[in-house]
Amino acid sequence: MRGLVFFGFMVTFAANAQTPMGTIATHDALVTGGLEVHADRASLVSNASVTAYDRAAPIDLARGGQVLVCATSQFHLLHSGTGPSLLFALDRGAFELRSFSQPQDVILTPDLRFTLATPGALDLRLRVTPNGDTCVDNAGSNAPTLQVADSFSDATYRLIPGQHVLFEHGNLREVVDRETSACGCPEPVTPPPLVATTPGQLTSPAIAEAQHPFPAAVSQGLAPATPIDNSSPAGEKHTQIAATLNYGTNQPDSTAVPAPPNTTTAATLAVTPPPPSPPGAHDIFHSIGHFFHKLFHPGN
């Protein structure tokens, strides 16, 4: 009996379990929500939140197709209704969706809600800027027709296959219906190649830039073509000396470091002539005697 109850519980649990929505590599994004992690991949079970790192993070959908969450974008994936229908929600940034549509698919942005008016093959690119501008590219002649609704008013808009639009500030009444800017992920930037500093030796771009500064600034006229050189003329040696200088003593300091020959130091560059010595005792008595001689012998 206990075995039957236990078995019945397991059957009920399996019947109520949700089918995973898709999988994503954990090294591409920060993933939270209902997950099952196996090695370096996370299976998105329910209410998944995906924040891409510094590169696009692909989500392979269990129903077929893919969502590409663009670099640094924040995206949510949830079940919608029954069956394989999904809710795709974008908090910020951009994403690209390629999958055959399902009847209860929903796409959300902070201002707008997209639902399906007709079925079709989704090749959708969507971007939301910080000021709310919402760029939508419903690419392809076989794309579905999308019904767009304003989350804060009764305004609606019908987005047909192949249409590329911009809703300024997320407002369905301010539409640029022939938008030309890209709505999806930017093209990946190819890292600069390694630089050969000496024959047979390669170094990274960061090291090369430190050794050869301002190449881009020079090309843009922001820095002189010849770097300013504050060093000494050719042939003159510069040596930094760490020494302790003592004044008012006749004993040399045993810790002082002697300057090497032909080397200019701060001590020799700043030489102050000594003050004149006070008159000696012989000079004082000579002056007093000369004064009394003039006093008693005014004619001499």
Side-chain angles (χ1 to χ4, degrees):
M1 186 68 176
R2 291 179 181 177
L4 291 176
V5 172
F6 177 74
F7 183 78
F9 171 78
M10 292 299 292
V11 171
T12 302
F13 179 80
N16 291 336
Q18 290 181 315
T19 303
M21 300 174 288
T23 62
I24 185 173
T26 54
H27 55 73
D28 287 335
L30 174 64
V31 188
T32 59
L35 311 174
E36 293 178 359
V37 180
H38 303 280
D40 63 344
R41 295 198 67 83
S43 180
L44 311 180
V45 178
S46 63
N47 300 347
S49 175
V50 176
T51 303
Y53 293 142
D54 57 352
R55 56 190 176 275
I59 302 173
D60 296 324
L61 298 176
R63 74 184 198 185
Q66 186 182 75
V67 178
L68 192 62
V69 183
C70 303
T72 72
S73 301
Q74 189 170 33
F75 176 82
H76 302 274
L77 188 64
L78 297 86
H79 289 281
S80 177
T82 59
S85 295
L86 295 171
L87 186 151
F88 309 89
L90 181 66
D91 278 354
R92 66 169 188 269
F95 76 93
E96 300 178 4
L97 170 60
R98 296 176 180 89
S99 177
F100 197 85
S101 66
Q102 298 297 321
Q104 294 176 298
D105 281 349
V106 178
I107 301 162
L108 294 179
T109 72
D111 301 303
L112 303 175
R113 176 185 177 92
F114 299 75
T115 54
L116 296 173
T118 63
L122 283 164
D123 186 2
L124 186 72
R125 299 166 179 84
L126 195 150
R127 178 189 296 267
V128 177
T129 64
N131 70 347
D133 288 350
T134 304
C135 179
V136 187
D137 186 2
N138 190 24
S141 57
N142 296 322
T145 298
L146 299 176
Q147 189 72 20
V148 190
D150 191 332
S151 300
F152 305 100
S153 71
D154 58 356
T156 60
Y157 188 92
R158 194 174 179 87
L159 192 67
I160 62 176
Q163 195 171 4
H164 184 181
V165 300
L166 174 69
F167 300 109
E168 295 183 342
H169 309 293
N171 191 334
L172 296 183
R173 294 186 174 90
E174 299 179 12
V175 184
V176 179
D177 59 0
R178 293 187 179 181
E179 178 63 19
T180 57
S181 63
C183 299
C185 299
E187 292 295 327
V189 178
T190 303
L194 296 178
V195 180
T197 55
T198 58
Q201 181 179 2
L202 296 177
T203 185
S204 68
I207 297 176
E209 183 179 357
Q211 294 175 345
H212 307 284
F214 312 126
V218 170
S219 66
Q220 297 296 325
L222 301 178
T226 303
I228 299 174
D229 186 5
N230 293 325
S231 60
S232 300
E236 180 177 337
K237 296 182 179 180
H238 254 298
T239 306
Q240 185 173 354
I241 304 296
T244 303
L245 302 179
N246 293 323
Y247 298 93
T249 177
N250 295 326
Q251 297 296 328
D253 185 1
S254 60
T255 62
V257 179
N262 299 326
T263 302
T264 303
T265 65
T268 60
L269 289 177
V271 178
T272 304
S277 300
H282 174 76
D283 295 330
I284 294 176
F285 287 117
H286 177 77
S287 298
I288 294 174
H290 184 71
F291 170 74
F292 282 107
H293 179 78
K294 286 288 187 180
L295 179 64
F296 295 106
H297 303 283
N300 295 332

